[in-house]
């Protein structure tokens, strides 16, 4: 149905890795009228729990935790800031939608209280949120994969043949085996995408997106209790007692805004709250990239690749394929790269000498911008380097978080801009590897659309177009996931009959278009062959050195004397 002529608005809230962002959107045309951002006070905890909670508890390798109260604070700060920025009357807001990183898990009681907020559990790492990039459950993921392959589980090919350490089952099994007291005490193992909707409405609704992609729900069924018991007898009732819950379809209403949440946000009590969603998948309608053949890459600290297809195919190394996982009526596919912007940031923070920082300041540029300018002056292959983009492991197509980064070809003449450009190119090669896997499996990629924070780097975008050999389109919205959540809120509130129709009316316009340059494509084809050789050598079993080094590192760290916690800013208590 057509949107009403009277001005009506929706709010979209995007929960990222380090902050939450709220956007006020006009229902009639998708215009983004105001925004607000709130940084999580505890950020990501990778070494220690917050002071005062656990002064003598250090986290192990590959841990990544968060504090759930930080998510509530986003509602109390970012949403009112967005309303003020938009200058609208909140009485005209008809709905709110949210999206989250995934798979981000919270152990809770039956009423939604996170376990870390209970007396006696604040000093227990497993009581906190396990962020998407928590990879310490890799041993459990390995066992799940080994058992599923040995038993020929029919659901395994739906996930490219490998289950990730990031997902619900591996993290849940880790919790059971490392802190069974918390596992027994928790009533629900909840995706953060659903928990925040629970906080807004008082209703716990499990969204179809994360249930399918991260929770192994296929054709209405989860893995069997018999399978879970074979992993660990105490894991047999994991689905029945911790996970199984009513499923909400994308674009449906999960409930209405409670009085308490209205007081946090400043929005009217009783407005519609959309079913939760994942940051990447919710972006497809915002980018007008929901048709089969359109691959959308949400590029930030990591990259998630999503696209729709008309049928079911098995794509090696994909993160999942779910019926209606992005848009009802189509099969939604997901793949991804665990590190992209994180890799660039790591290099700038740790691999660039002070002179470059000083020169960047003298030029009035950030270090990223300065290195990009230097790298842009190079001919393709001039630096003589090839890198593997595995500094955070490999999500697709190898699904192995024990892999690590490599730079080949460095000499005493290598400069920071050389390595920087090689890392930019490596992430593009990783994306091409994913695209070729989709093409080879009968899910053709005909258009490449980019959203997120990295499209502002024009060199990076041209490199991607040249490496993948496809036109690349960016979008005009700087807050595409939040816009996508707002689109789903408009549908849930009844302003549009379906998500595709709302996308057509409210989706962001194209920004820049990058065409592949034929001579660049040819040059990168040669370099991609070298990348693929390294990719297969280190990633497909010819040389297990990365796994051996990781094992040596873990043994060394486990033998190291415990250190005191580093200071972490803590903000708890009232939301006002």
């Amino acid at each position: 149905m057509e949107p009403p002529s009277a001005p009506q608005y929706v709010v979209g809230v995007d929960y990222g890795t380090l902050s939450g962002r709220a956007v006020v959107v006009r229902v009639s045309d998708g215009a983004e009228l105001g925004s607000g951002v709130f940084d999580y006070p505890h950020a990501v905890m990778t070494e220690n729990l917050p002071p005062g909670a656990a002064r003598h508890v250090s986290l192990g390798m590959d841990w990544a935790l968060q504090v759930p109260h930080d998510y509530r604070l986003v509602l109390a700060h970012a949403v009112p800031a967005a309303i003020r920025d938009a200058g609208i009357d909140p009485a005209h807001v008809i709905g709110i939608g949210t999206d989250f990183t995934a798979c981000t898990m919270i152990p809770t009681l039956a009423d939604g209280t996170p376990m870390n907020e209970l007396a006696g559990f604040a000093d227990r790492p497993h009581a906190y949120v396990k962020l998407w990039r928590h990879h310490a459950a890799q041993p459990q993921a390995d066992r799940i994969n080994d058992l599923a392959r040995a038993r020929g589980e029919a659901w395994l090919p739906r996930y490219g043949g490998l289950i990730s350490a990031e997902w619900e089952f591996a993290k849940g099994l880790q919790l059971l085996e490392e802190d069974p007291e918390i596992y027994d005490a928790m009533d629900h193992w909840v995706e953060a995408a659903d928990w925040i909707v629970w906080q807004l409405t008082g209703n716990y609704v499990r969204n179809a997106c994360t249930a399918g992609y991260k929770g192994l729900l296929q054709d209405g069924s989860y893995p069997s209790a018999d399978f879970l018991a074979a992993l660990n007898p105490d894991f047999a009732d994991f689905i029945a007692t911790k996970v199984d819950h009513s499923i909400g379809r994308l674009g449906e209403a999960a409930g209405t805004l409670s009085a308490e949440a209205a007081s946090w946000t400043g929005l009217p009590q009783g407005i519609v709250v959309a079913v939760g969603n994942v940051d990447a998948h919710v972006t497809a309608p915002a980018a007008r990239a929901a048709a089969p053949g359109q691959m959308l890459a949400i590029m930030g600290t990591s990259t998630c690749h999503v696209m729709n297809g008309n049928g079911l195919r098995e794509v090696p190394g994909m993160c999942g394929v779910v019926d209606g996982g992005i848009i009802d009526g189509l099969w939604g596919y997901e793949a991804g790269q665990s590190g992209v912007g994180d890799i660039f940031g790591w290099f700038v923070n740790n691999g660039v000498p002070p002179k470059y920082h000083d020169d960047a300041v003298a030029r009035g540029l950030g270090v990223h911008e300065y290195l990009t300018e230097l790298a842009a002056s190079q001919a393709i292959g001039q630096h003589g380097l090839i890198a593997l983009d595995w500094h955070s492991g490999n999500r697709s197509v190898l699904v192995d978080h024990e892999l690590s980064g490599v730079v080949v070809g460095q000499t005493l003449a290598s400069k920071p801009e050389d390595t920087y450009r090689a890392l930019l190119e490596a992430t593009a090669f990783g994306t091409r590897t994913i695209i070729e896997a989709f093409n080879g499996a009968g899910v053709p990629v005909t258009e490449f659309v980019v959203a997120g924070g990295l499209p502002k780097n024009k060199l990076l975008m041209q490199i991607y177009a040249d490496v993948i050999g496809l036109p690349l389109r960016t979008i005009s919205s700087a807050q595409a996931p939040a816009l996508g959540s707002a689109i789903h809120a408009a549908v849930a509130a009844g302003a549009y009959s379906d998500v595709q129709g709302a996308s057509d009316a409210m989706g962001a316009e194209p920004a820049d278009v990058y065409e592949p340059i034929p001579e660049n494509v040819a040059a990168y084809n040669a370099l991609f062959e070298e990348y693929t050789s390294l990719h297969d050598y280190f990633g497909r079993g010819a040389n297990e050195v990365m796994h051996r080094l990781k094992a040596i590192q873990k043994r060394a760290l486990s033998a190291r004397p415990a250190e005191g916690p580093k200071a972490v800013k803590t903000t708890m208590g009232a939301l006002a």
Side-chain angles (χ1 to χ4, degrees), residues 402-459:
E402 297 287 290
L403 296 174
S404 49
V406 169
V407 180
V408 173
Q410 287 181 321
T411 72
L412 295 179
S414 297
K415 296 179 179 179
E417 59 266 33
D418 300 336
T419 304
Y420 190 75
R421 177 164 181 142
L423 293 173
L424 300 183
E425 293 166 342
T427 66
F429 293 144
T431 285
R432 177 169 168 176
T433 301
I434 291 168
I435 290 174
E436 292 195 352
F438 274 78
N439 288 335
V443 187
V445 179
T446 58
E447 183 183 359
F448 196 73
V449 183
V450 179
L454 294 183
K456 62 186 177 182
N457 187 317
K458 295 183 180 297
L459 172 64

Side-chain angles (χ1 to χ4, degrees), residues 241-552:
T241 63
K242 311 296 184 184
V243 171
D244 197 19
H245 207 76
S246 59
I247 302 293
R249 304 302 300 174
L250 305 183
E252 290 182 345
T256 59
L257 195 69
S258 69
E260 182 180 31
S263 70
W264 299 340
T265 61
L267 297 176
Q269 180 182 352
I271 64 170
V272 166
V273 180
V275 167
N277 211 323
V278 178
D279 50 3
H281 305 73
V282 79
T283 302
R288 299 186 181 182
Q294 294 178 307
M295 177 174 279
L296 171 68
I298 300 88
M299 296 181 60
T301 55
S302 62
T303 293
C304 189
H305 305 78
V306 297
M307 66 180 295
N308 281 310
N310 289 313
L312 173 63
R313 298 289 187 274
E314 295 176 4
V315 182
M318 66 181 174
C319 298
V321 54
V322 175
D323 187 7
I326 302 173
I327 296 285
D328 276 341
L330 295 171
W331 287 88
Y333 291 82
E334 178 189 345
Q337 292 166 270
S338 296
V340 179
D342 266 356
I343 299 175
F344 310 150
W346 160 80
F347 180 72
V348 165
N349 292 334
N350 297 282
V352 179
K355 182 180 185 303
Y356 277 69
H357 291 266
D358 295 340
D359 290 346
V361 170
R363 292 285 310 283
L365 299 172
V367 180
H368 284 282
E369 290 77 13
Y370 182 54
L371 288 172
T372 297
E373 183 180 275
L374 294 174
S377 67
Q378 296 183 351
I380 295 171
Q382 176 181 326
H383 50 52
L385 305 176
I386 285 285
L388 293 177
D389 51 319
W390 300 347
H391 297 67
S392 291
N394 181 285
R395 183 181 297 165
S396 298
V397 296
L398 300 172
V399 197
D400 186 346
H401 296 293
E402 297 287 290
L403 296 174
S404 49
V406 169
V407 180
V408 173
Q410 287 181 321
T411 72
L412 295 179
S414 297
K415 296 179 179 179
E417 59 266 33
D418 300 336
T419 304
Y420 190 75
R421 177 164 181 142
L423 293 173
L424 300 183
E425 293 166 342
T427 66
F429 293 144
T431 285
R432 177 169 168 176
T433 301
I434 291 168
I435 290 174
E436 292 195 352
F438 274 78
N439 288 335
V443 187
V445 179
T446 58
E447 183 183 359
F448 196 73
V449 183
V450 179
L454 294 183
K456 62 186 177 182
N457 187 317
K458 295 183 180 297
L459 172 64
L460 182 65
M461 294 299 97
Q462 187 62 55
I463 288 173
Y464 268 67
D466 293 337
V467 166
I468 66 178
L470 289 173
L472 183 155
R473 167 170 62 89
T474 66
I475 66 173
S476 56
S477 174
Q479 301 288 358
L483 173 59
S485 288
I487 287 172
H488 282 75
V491 176
Y496 295 91
S497 60
D498 56 43
V499 174
Q500 185 62 65
S503 171
D504 293 341
M506 298 176 66
E509 296 292 335
D512 298 319
V513 176
Y514 297 82
E515 295 289 342
I517 300 168
E519 55 268 31
N520 291 357
V521 172
Y524 276 127
N525 282 341
L527 289 175
F528 181 67
E529 290 183 10
E530 301 299 338
Y531 173 91
T532 301
S533 295
L534 287 177
H535 175 281
D536 292 350
Y537 178 68
F538 286 111
R540 297 193 186 277
N543 190 330
E544 296 287 340
V545 62
M546 293 179 181
H547 295 117
R548 294 194 297 271
L549 289 174
K550 187 65 69 77
I552 291 170

